[in-house]
Amino acid sequence: CYFRGRDLMSDRPYFIPRHLDDPPMLFLWQADSVLLVVFFFILGCLLQIPIIATLLGFLAARAWGRMRESGARGLLPALLYWYGPLWLTGRPSSSVREYLSS
C-alpha cells in the first residue's frame, strides 16, 4: 500500500510507503504475541502438559496485546527492573535520583 504522488520538479511519479513503523508480524499476529504462545507451548511440552500450557499462552498473549494497545510503553522494562531476577547486579538503586560522575 503506497501513496502515489508526483515530483514537483520532474513530474515523475514516486511512491511513499505507509507502513514504515509497523511492528514485525508473523502471518496475522504480532511477533511478541507469537513468541509468548511458543514459549508457553515449549514449557508445556517440557512439563508434559502442552494443551493447557498453549491455552495459557493464548491467554497471556491476549492480555499482553491488550496492555500493548492501551499504550503501556515501557511496561516490560519496568516489570523486569522491579520484579526481575536478583542476579541483575548492574541495576542502580531506585532511591538515588542524581548520579555524579567523577
Side-chain angles (χ1 to χ4, degrees):
C1 293
Y2 291 95
F3 172 74
R4 184 176 207 121
R6 293 229 173 247
D7 189 0
L8 294 176
M9 299 300 267
S10 66
D11 210 26
R12 292 183 311 190
Y14 60 90
F15 297 102
I16 301 173
R18 292 189 203 175
H19 305 289
L20 288 176
D21 294 331
D22 284 351
M25 302 288 282
L26 185 66
F27 298 112
L28 299 174
W29 303 285
Q30 291 187 1
D32 55 352
S33 298
V34 173
L35 286 175
L36 271 174
V37 174
V38 168
F39 171 75
F40 274 91
F41 175 74
I42 291 173
L43 186 66
C45 287
L46 291 174
L47 298 175
Q48 297 179 353
I49 51 169
I51 295 173
I52 295 172
T54 305
L55 291 174
L56 287 175
F58 278 114
L59 291 175
R62 185 174 179 188
W64 179 254
R66 285 187 178 187
M67 273 195 288
R68 183 182 56 233
E69 295 298 322
S70 70
R73 293 184 71 131
L75 179 65
L76 184 61
L79 288 175
L80 288 175
Y81 179 84
W82 288 106
Y83 303 110
L86 296 176
W87 51 267
L88 293 173
T89 58
R91 64 181 177 192
S93 174
S94 64
S95 62
V96 178
R97 298 292 176 221
E98 295 181 18
Y99 293 95
L100 297 175
S101 61
S102 55

